[in-house]
Amino acid sequence: MELDIEKFSPTRAELAGLVEKSKTIDLSDPFDDMQLAKVKVERAGLRSTRTAITRRGKELRDDALAFQRAVIATERDLIAIIEPEEDRLAALIDGAVATREREARRDMLPKRWERIKAITGDVDEFMTFVHGKVLSDPNPITEEYLLDMDGPTFEGLLNFLLTTKNAADAFVIREREAVVREKEEQQRKEEEIRAHEEQARKEERERMESEQKEAEARAVREKEEKELRAEEDRLRQEHEAAFQAFLRDHGCNPDTAQDFKIDHHANEVVLWKKVAVFNKAEQ
């Protein structure tokens, strides 16, 4: 087989012409079906030409490695000429499709908002509440945000919001339980304080009653002791008076006391009197 790199068809000039012709096509209105159809037809033609070039290149590569390398290089060069334009047209088509789909979703916004609010209630209040509690930095849910979402992505958002709502509800329950526990603990402490104060008052009453009883008992004892001392003093005075009368009756007084001797025993007092003195020296 004769290896001739120029056997590619179409030629570079023909491809350049196709590209220049294609560049005159644009999609100024994504909703214009005729414009979009024209872009698709043109892109299909370019794609058909590109695939034909690839197919022809493969046929030529099979003859020899050196020729194959040359063919590959040429193929790449030729594709490099047409592929950017093909990509541009594809981007126009993709953009048009995305724009149409996005606008088509605008009619779905009321229903989407209903489904979101069925989970979150007031959306702004919900996102404000979960910020910093369940989500560190939640994305705001806006109309543009929803328009950018296709169906599966929106369903994923709903699942995410439901999970977040459950976590938020659990957070609220934990906060309420914490408040209840705090109140119960405060009540317990207050009851302990009241019980302690009541016990202190009871002990104070008992102490005062005990002190009063002790004071009364002490007063009774002191009265009894005083009366006893008074009785003992009276008896002692009576005894002393009787004893002094006994001494006087027997002639013992301060002037004659040297002539008497008094012996005190347990139950009696013996009075001895000097009768006389015998002076042996005078005899």
Side-chain angles (χ1 to χ4, degrees), residues 84-96:
E85 179 59 16
E86 180 188 357
D87 291 342
R88 186 184 73 85
L89 297 179
L92 291 176
I93 295 171
D94 292 343

Side-chain angles (χ1 to χ4, degrees), residues 4-16 18 45-60 67 71 74-75 78-79 82:
D4 186 356
I5 201 65
E6 296 299 325
K7 288 184 178 181
F8 267 95
S9 178
T11 64
R12 294 174 183 270
E14 291 172 334
L15 290 175
L18 288 175
L46 292 175
R47 181 173 55 210
S48 177
T49 301
R50 173 177 55 79
T51 56
I53 293 171
T54 301
R55 185 170 54 254
R56 180 58 175 163
K58 184 177 183 304
E59 293 174 355
L60 295 176
F67 184 70
V71 169
T74 303
E75 174 192 349
L78 296 176
I79 290 176
I82 195 171

Side-chain angles (χ1 to χ4, degrees), residues 76 82 94 125 143 181 189 204 208 223 237 241:
R76 289 175 177 172
I82 195 171
D94 292 343
E125 289 183 3
E143 180 176 300
R181 286 195 300 270
K189 290 181 179 179
E204 180 64 16
M208 293 178 65
K223 180 180 178 182
Q237 290 173 4

Side-chain angles (χ1 to χ4, degrees), residues 14-176:
E14 291 172 334
L15 290 175
L18 288 175
V19 171
E20 290 301 318
K21 174 179 173 296
S22 177
K23 287 182 178 180
T24 63
I25 299 174
D26 201 350
L27 187 56
S28 59
D29 184 1
F31 297 94
D32 190 328
D33 293 332
M34 293 184 65
Q35 287 187 15
L36 181 62
K38 187 175 181 180
V39 171
K40 289 182 177 179
V41 169
E42 188 64 24
R43 182 201 176 191
L46 292 175
R47 181 173 55 210
S48 177
T49 301
R50 173 177 55 79
T51 56
I53 293 171
T54 301
R55 185 170 54 254
R56 180 58 175 163
K58 184 177 183 304
E59 293 174 355
L60 295 176
R61 285 196 308 271
D62 291 338
D63 292 340
L65 180 59
F67 184 70
Q68 181 183 27
R69 291 174 178 172
V71 169
I72 291 174
T74 303
E75 174 192 349
R76 289 175 177 172
D77 289 342
L78 296 176
I79 290 176
I81 296 172
I82 195 171
E83 194 168 43
E85 179 59 16
E86 180 188 357
D87 291 342
R88 186 184 73 85
L89 297 179
L92 291 176
I93 295 171
D94 292 343
V97 171
T99 301
R100 289 186 175 199
E101 290 178 349
R102 191 175 190 277
E103 287 303 310
R105 287 194 289 268
R106 192 175 297 278
D107 294 336
M108 302 168 59
L109 281 177
K111 184 64 176 178
R112 285 189 169 186
W113 280 120
E114 288 179 6
R115 295 183 67 188
I116 290 173
K117 291 178 180 179
I119 296 174
T120 65
D122 186 282
V123 181
D124 293 335
E125 289 183 3
F126 176 77
M127 300 306 286
T128 299
F129 172 75
V130 300
H131 185 265
K133 297 181 177 65
V134 181
L135 301 176
S136 59
D137 189 15
N139 292 322
I141 300 177
T142 63
E143 180 176 300
E144 296 301 315
Y145 185 61
L146 294 180
L147 286 175
D148 288 337
M149 290 185 176
D150 59 15
T153 304
F154 177 71
E155 294 300 324
L157 173 65
L158 292 180
N159 291 333
F160 171 77
L161 291 176
L162 182 59
T163 301
T164 303
K165 178 64 165 55
N166 292 336
D169 290 342
F171 177 85
V172 171
I173 291 173
R174 288 195 299 272
E175 279 194 331
R176 290 175 179 172

